[in-house]
Amino acid sequence: MYFPEYRARRLRRNENIRRMVRETHLRVDDLIYPMFSAFGKGIKKEIPSMPGIYQQSIENIVAEAREVYELGIPAVILFGIPECKDAMGQDAYSETGIIQETIRAIKAEVPELTVITDVCMCEYTDHGHCGVIKDGDVDNDETLKLLAAEALSHARAGADIVAPSDMMDGRVAAIREILDANGFKNLPVMSYAVKYASAYYGPFRDAAESTPQFGDRRSYQMDPANRVEALREAELDVQECADFLMVKPALAYLDILRDLKERFNLPLVAYNVSGEYSMIKAAAAKGWIDGERVMMETLLGMKRAGADLIITYHAKEAARVLKK
């Protein structure tokens, strides 16, 4: 039987050779862990649709932040669940808001852990939308003022990076302007540059208690059918001086990750969202898949598509696997 001169299996024949020629690598340094900080004391409430992920009061957030740091994970991203919500989401930009207090507590106890903050209004408004409502829709330009105030309050509390996730037009520029004007020229902005109106967010909305009370978010988040629009959105954020670009969700949008990687030279972040996490957990609990292997293959696929960093609820598990 005739064989071609080159046999691809030669480079797959044992683990050492496979390691030597491996093209894509997932590292603990690539991981960012999301955390949900809740107002109150003694709170550690598991999210039913996200096994192993909790709403936690600040003292428990700090304890988990220490665990994250000891695993070698470089950063967390914080989401807040305030005591009270109102139409203007005032807790989002209050100097004593839930996230501002959480930042201070983490930086006091685990100062070397990088703290990223989600900058948005949906967790803080009683209507669940990402900004100021006028005539039944989010008013873009009025919302920019609140987002800028929120980002500045996070910076003053000690955040290392702010991450606007609202998808308002011009929000990166508004945040950059207010940070620069107040002595935070060196604080990076991690933009949710390409954020789709996705069904994969369902478990997150349970976790953050941010389900819209009317309508949906399709007037400001992107249509899942669109690809070229993603390049336009990312280009605008580059022009407005974003320091990182993010694609959310990741798993169904690997083509978008690759597009942005080939077009722009900023660090690229993939958000491995709640629905992606929950599907793996549910299938593993049923015994239908090897949860650990599917988790690692999924994260590696995001890296292969072009992600430099991955926000993932799997971060602690993945870090333990990588340390084996």
Side-chain angles (χ1 to χ4, degrees):
M1 183 179 291
Y2 172 76
F3 286 98
E5 184 173 338
Y6 176 72
R7 294 189 182 221
R9 289 183 59 188
R10 292 176 186 144
L11 299 185
R12 305 172 194 152
R13 56 187 296 265
N14 62 47
E15 180 57 22
N16 271 348
I17 294 175
R18 290 193 294 272
R19 285 174 54 208
M20 290 166 65
V21 301
R22 192 159 287 150
E23 300 171 24
T24 304
H25 296 272
L26 179 67
R27 308 170 305 155
V28 177
D29 291 347
D30 303 328
L31 305 175
I32 299 168
Y33 185 59
M35 305 177 80
F36 298 93
S37 186
F39 179 85
K41 297 287 186 182
I43 299 168
K44 188 170 183 178
K45 178 183 176 184
E46 188 171 37
I47 299 152
S49 55
M50 300 177 70
I53 305 299
Y54 299 84
Q55 295 177 344
Q56 299 181 93
S57 48
I58 290 176
E59 77 279 10
N60 289 325
I61 285 278
V62 169
E64 189 173 31
R66 188 176 293 108
E67 177 191 6
V68 168
Y69 177 71
E70 290 172 355
L71 284 168
I73 297 166
V76 296
I77 183 166
L78 300 179
F79 300 89
I81 303 160
E83 179 182 18
C84 298
K85 302 188 179 193
D86 58 71
M88 300 297 286
Q90 294 182 71
D91 195 274
Y93 42 90
S94 168
E95 295 298 327
T96 57
I98 182 62
I99 286 300
Q100 292 79 357
E101 296 290 4
T102 305
I103 296 165
R104 294 186 191 101
I106 293 175
K107 298 308 285 187
E109 298 295 329
V110 198
E112 294 176 346
L113 181 67
T114 295
V115 175
I116 306 167
T117 58
D118 179 76
V119 177
C120 195
M121 304 301 296
C122 62
E123 299 125 272
Y124 308 96
T125 56
D126 54 12
H127 47 73
H129 279 283
C130 299
V132 179
I133 299 297
K134 286 189 178 179
D135 300 322
D137 197 7
V138 176
D139 184 293
N140 191 96
D141 295 359
E142 287 300 311
T143 298
L144 294 184
K145 300 172 187 177
L146 302 187
L147 294 169
E150 182 180 6
L152 180 59
S153 72
H154 292 178
R156 286 173 169 161
D160 298 294
I161 299 171
V162 293
S165 65
D166 53 283
M167 289 300 285
M168 297 298 115
D169 296 334
R171 87 268 204 226
V172 172
I175 290 169
R176 185 74 272 157
E177 181 179 4
I178 200 170
L179 292 177
D180 290 357
N182 285 274
F184 295 102
K185 291 183 178 179
N186 294 323
L187 191 76
V189 176
M190 178 184 287
S191 174
Y192 287 65
V194 180
K195 182 178 179 180
Y196 287 91
S198 173
Y200 282 97
Y201 302 150
F204 173 90
R205 290 174 181 169
D206 294 339
E209 300 179 3
S210 62
T211 301
Q213 298 304 298
F214 63 88
D216 54 43
R217 296 178 178 146
R218 287 183 289 181
S219 72
Y220 45 102
Q221 295 178 359
M222 284 180 52
D223 187 334
N226 291 358
R227 181 178 181 183
V228 174
E229 184 185 5
L231 298 176
R232 293 199 299 269
E233 285 281 5
E235 179 66 40
L236 287 169
D237 286 358
V238 171
Q239 292 172 2
E240 293 176 21
C241 295
D243 299 285
F244 301 79
L245 299 176
M246 189 192 304
V247 175
K248 180 181 181 182
L251 191 58
Y253 300 90
L254 298 180
D255 59 324
I256 309 301
L257 278 168
R258 174 48 54 186
D259 286 344
L260 265 61
K261 186 68 172 180
E262 291 176 349
R263 181 70 66 92
F264 305 106
N265 60 5
L266 293 179
L268 183 60
V269 185
Y271 199 136
N272 177 210
V273 299
S274 59
E276 298 165 1
Y277 172 87
S278 296
M279 289 191 301
I280 289 176
K281 287 296 183 182
K286 289 284 190 179
W288 294 341
I289 61 171
D290 181 327
E292 183 177 295
R293 288 188 62 191
V294 171
M295 169 186 72
M296 298 304 287
E297 187 175 337
T298 299
L299 298 176
L300 189 65
M302 294 169 191
K303 283 283 292 182
R304 192 180 63 247
D308 298 297
L309 299 167
I310 304 173
I311 299 173
T312 178
Y313 303 95
H314 294 294
K316 292 196 302 180
E317 296 172 86
R320 292 186 180 102
V321 172
L322 291 167
K323 285 178 174 291
K324 285 181 182 177

